[in-house]
Amino acid sequence: TMNPARNMGWLIAATPLIFVISWSTGNIFTKLGLPHAEPFTFLAIRFALATLLLAVIALVFRAPWPSSPRVVGHILVAGSLVYTVYLCAVFVAIDQGVSTGTAALISGLQPILTACVVGRILGEMVTLRQWIGLALGLVGVTLVVWRKLAIDEGTEFGMAFATLAMLGLTLGTIYQKRFCADMDLKSGTAIQLAGSAVAALVLAVFFETREVAWTSEFVFALSWLIVVLTVGAYMLLFYLLAIGAASKVASLFYLTPPTTAVMGYFVFNETFGVLALIGMAVAVVGYMMAVK
């Protein structure tokens, strides 16, 4: 007979793996969708539709909504960092010629930056073994994306936005852990997405033409990013932050560039050499050391 408790245990244990795989599809489907809509317009549509989806889910499951304006404020701040700042900055960076490899390398600084901050803000201790693991993870990510790196690629503006994206995600995950750990994932994420939809729409109104080519490719990419990324992966991230240490959760981001590289090989026929394979192994070892 099936044991529900055991099945749930397996599901919880597999959550980090499911998160890494779903998060890693982000660049793939962004690359598919961006030729058909400008970055802020793309994100405004994505956030707005994801808000509707999560609001319906929250209502169906009768999720509790925050009653205090102060709690809503904290939820919106965390959401603005992990959705608006992070994703808008990533889209602008790539639009400015920064390759996904360089963006991945800059994002690879996130776990180390998180580890530097968590002790002061969250009171989490990072051991020597974890520091070594974090350093190994960064080396692994560098090796994976080495072939995609170019010294003079992109603009200084684009590189600045890639750095802003990394800072937004780092500060957002720490803020989420510190002030929003108890929020209901369904209603809380719906609030965050609503705020981010408004912010992205304002940016689209001021900086873009807001023209969209509603091709089947764009609709497919948009649908995937809404269901799997904006709803699925982010809710998994918030769940992992609620139950685990921020530094350990951040170390998961070392596994996303190797996973994206493998996906890029199958979807876009992007090749990777021996150095990247070594980097993947080093990143996995680094992650395993960081979470012990």
Side-chain angles (χ1 to χ4, degrees):
T1 57
M2 299 289 284
N3 186 330
R6 180 177 293 178
N7 290 342
M8 188 58 68
W10 275 107
L11 188 61
I12 292 170
T15 300
L17 176 64
I18 297 168
F19 167 75
V20 168
I21 293 172
S22 57
W23 190 275
S24 299
T25 63
N27 280 348
I28 302 294
F29 285 91
T30 297
K31 190 172 179 178
L32 278 175
L34 264 180
H36 309 288
E38 293 162 291
F40 299 146
T41 303
F42 191 170
L43 284 170
I45 297 168
R46 174 178 165 182
F47 290 151
L49 292 176
T51 300
L52 290 173
L53 176 61
L54 262 177
V56 169
I57 292 172
L59 291 171
V60 168
F61 285 91
R62 297 182 178 177
W65 293 82
S67 54
S68 161
R70 185 167 168 272
V71 173
V72 173
H74 283 313
I75 289 172
L76 285 171
V77 169
S80 68
L81 289 167
V82 297
Y83 285 114
T84 313
V85 174
Y86 170 64
L87 286 173
C88 286
V90 165
F91 276 42
V92 170
I94 293 173
D95 195 50
Q96 287 289 315
V98 177
S99 77
T100 54
T102 302
L105 183 60
I106 293 172
S107 295
L109 297 171
Q110 190 223 335
I112 288 181
L113 182 60
T114 300
C116 291
V117 175
V118 291
R120 295 178 180 274
I121 295 180
L122 300 177
E124 296 175 9
M125 295 303 296
V126 181
T127 65
L128 177 61
R129 176 192 174 95
Q130 288 175 317
W131 277 116
I132 295 170
L134 291 168
L136 276 176
L138 185 60
V139 170
V141 169
T142 305
L143 293 175
V144 169
V145 302
W146 188 259
R147 286 179 62 185
K148 293 183 179 180
L149 296 175
I151 301 303
D152 59 349
E153 65 139 32
T155 63
E156 289 85 354
F157 186 69
M159 295 294 282
F161 268 84
T163 305
L164 178 63
M166 182 268 294
L167 290 172
L169 188 59
T170 302
L171 296 175
T173 51
I174 291 171
Y175 196 96
Q176 178 80 24
K177 173 72 177 176
R178 175 70 178 82
F179 295 107
C180 309
D182 296 328
M183 82 172 192
D184 181 88
L185 287 178
K186 297 177 284 295
S187 59
T189 309
I191 292 168
Q192 291 179 329
L193 285 166
S196 297
V198 172
L201 180 60
V202 169
L203 290 169
V205 167
F206 279 98
F207 298 108
E208 296 178 346
T209 64
R210 299 174 302 288
E211 292 179 6
V212 179
W214 289 94
T215 62
S216 56
E217 193 173 68
F218 176 73
V219 172
F220 178 61
L222 179 65
S223 302
W224 182 276
L225 289 170
I226 288 168
V227 177
V228 178
L229 264 293
T230 314
V231 176
Y234 270 95
M235 287 183 71
L236 286 176
L237 173 63
F238 296 154
Y239 169 73
L240 289 167
L241 283 169
I243 65 169
S247 56
K248 292 182 179 180
V249 175
S251 65
L252 283 167
F253 288 97
Y254 282 147
L255 303 182
T256 55
T259 308
T260 301
V262 173
M263 290 177 180
Y265 170 77
F266 287 107
V267 178
F268 298 115
N269 203 29
E270 295 175 352
T271 58
F272 49 86
V274 176
L275 203 62
L277 290 170
I278 295 169
M280 290 178 192
V282 173
V284 170
V285 171
Y287 164 72
M288 291 174 71
M289 289 183 68
V291 297
K292 291 294 184 184

